[in-house]
Amino acid sequence: MSLRSVSSTFVRNLKPVNATRLGLTTPCLRTYATEKKAAVHPPRRTFLHNKYSDIIENNRVVFIFQHNNLTVKEFTQIRQQLGELPGGSALPKLTVLKSGVFSAALRETKFANLEPLVTGPTCVLSTNVADAEHPDLLKKSVELLAKNKKMLLLGGKLDNVLLTQADVLKVVELPSLEQLRAQVVGVIEAPARKLLGTLEQPANQLHSVLDRRI
């Protein structure tokens, strides 16, 4: 008997499998090696992703800095100096980043265009400070970090606006909202004061002349 005839006889004698007898409640499904499985991230990566998403979404200010391998001691010193600034609960926080995880978090937000800034060793300065509360806090914080030669400002975001390095430096130099209002009021009132002085001048001169004659 040839091998082919033996194979044919074997196939004809095969009987369908009774799933109930085997204790199976669901039909057997064929799986293929090409099927994609849902990505399962390590707990640490998931924790960092959630932390970075919170920093991006729940802070008015997020400034990105590149740090040239600062030591733990240097980072601790910078954080202590930031903690000494007047700001209370709104004090900026300095967070060292895992670039890949932070980039992934950025891509899920409307600030995805900041991703090219996140290369190499990076960290972020973040805060929810309001302009009216501590108008000079951002300026002092950026100046403090700029004193360290290993820290390089790259850019960031303020509220919903993306900022370049030059934009950040301009923004932190702006006066507070209250100062701007005072300046605007001063500009508006200046012509009125000048006009009032012009109108009062003849009356004052007349009064002076009358005083000399009496």
Side-chain angles (χ1 to χ4, degrees), residues 1-207:
M1 185 180 292
S2 66
L3 180 61
R4 179 176 295 179
S5 61
V6 172
S7 300
S8 300
T9 303
F10 177 75
V11 171
R12 285 197 301 272
N13 291 333
L14 287 175
K15 295 181 180 180
V17 177
N18 190 325
T20 304
R21 289 182 60 187
L22 295 178
L24 300 176
T25 56
T26 56
C28 298
L29 299 177
R30 181 177 295 179
T31 59
Y32 300 90
T34 56
E35 290 183 354
K36 293 183 178 180
K37 296 183 179 180
V40 179
H41 298 297
R44 175 64 178 171
R45 181 182 177 88
T46 302
F47 168 78
L48 289 176
H49 186 280
N50 293 338
K51 178 181 178 180
Y52 296 160
S53 297
D54 180 70
I55 289 174
I56 297 167
E57 295 286 2
N58 297 321
N59 283 282
R60 290 187 63 235
V61 178
V62 178
F63 293 159
I64 302 174
F65 287 80
Q66 185 178 72
H67 66 88
N68 295 316
N69 300 316
L70 265 73
T71 64
V72 174
K73 182 178 179 181
E74 289 172 320
F75 269 116
T76 302
Q77 184 178 9
I78 291 174
R79 290 188 175 111
Q80 289 175 344
Q81 291 172 342
L82 287 172
E84 293 171 359
L85 295 176
S89 60
L91 280 175
K93 295 180 181 179
L94 188 65
T95 306
V96 181
L97 303 176
K98 290 285 186 182
S99 300
V101 183
F102 192 77
S103 295
L106 277 174
R107 289 195 293 270
E108 297 176 359
T109 70
K110 56 189 172 184
F111 308 110
N113 287 341
L114 291 175
E115 186 182 353
L117 301 182
V118 188
T119 56
T122 48
C123 57
V124 292
L125 184 74
S126 58
T127 180
N128 251 332
V129 63
D131 295 332
E133 294 176 356
H134 304 283
D136 297 328
L137 183 58
L138 286 182
K139 180 180 179 181
K140 291 179 180 178
S141 300
V142 172
E143 288 177 346
L144 191 154
L145 268 64
K147 290 179 181 178
N148 193 310
K149 296 182 179 179
K150 293 183 179 181
M151 300 288 285
L152 176 64
L153 174 64
L154 301 176
K157 68 107 174 175
L158 175 62
D159 293 322
N160 294 320
V161 181
L162 301 184
L163 305 174
T164 64
Q165 180 194 59
D167 293 334
V168 172
L169 296 176
K170 290 178 182 177
V171 166
V172 299
E173 291 292 338
L174 290 175
S176 67
L177 187 59
E178 293 299 324
Q179 290 174 324
L180 287 174
R181 285 173 178 166
Q183 291 176 6
V184 171
V185 170
V187 171
I188 294 174
E189 290 182 348
R193 289 197 189 109
K194 186 176 181 180
L195 177 61
L196 183 60
T198 302
L199 294 175
E200 288 179 347
Q201 188 174 4
N204 290 336
Q205 291 176 348
L206 177 61
H207 186 272

